[in-house]
Amino acid sequence: AKQKIIIIDPGHGGKDTGAIGYKRLREKNAVLKIALKLGRYLKQYGYKVYYTRSKDIFIKLRDRTHFANLKKADLFIS
């Protein structure tokens, strides 16, 4: 299990804010923060982790799944 490749896809980003919640919290920011934290956790256990985005940019869904396929991901978390 240690050599498994995991793609974490925070979704939204850039022009796509996702939902806007309490105190104007944007979904794109919340999911990015959670994704980065999850990635750090998984790396501690030896998993190879890639992110579809690691900053506030917009990436089309097709490009995100294509990235996962290029990396031969064992798991895609979105």
Side-chain angles (χ1 to χ4, degrees):
K2 299 296 181 184
Q3 298 302 312
K4 298 292 183 184
I5 297 172
I6 300 174
I7 305 295
I8 301 177
D9 175 36
H12 302 295
K15 65 182 180 180
D16 180 7
T17 62
I20 299 176
Y22 180 69
K23 294 191 178 181
R24 312 257 328 132
L25 176 65
R26 289 172 170 73
E27 184 179 5
K28 69 178 185 174
N29 297 330
V31 296
L32 180 57
K33 187 179 278 191
I34 292 167
L36 295 173
K37 187 172 186 175
L38 173 62
R40 286 190 301 272
Y41 178 80
L42 291 170
K43 286 177 184 179
Q44 289 178 358
Y45 289 92
Y47 292 99
K48 185 70 176 172
V49 176
Y50 296 98
Y51 305 94
T52 56
R53 71 179 184 97
S54 58
K55 56 185 176 181
D56 187 18
I57 58 173
F58 176 77
I59 301 172
K60 293 179 184 177
L61 177 58
R62 180 174 295 183
D63 294 335
R64 293 185 268 152
T65 55
H66 180 67
F67 176 74
N69 289 331
L70 287 176
K71 294 295 184 185
K72 298 184 185 328
D74 295 295
L75 181 64
F76 183 81
I77 302 172
S78 184

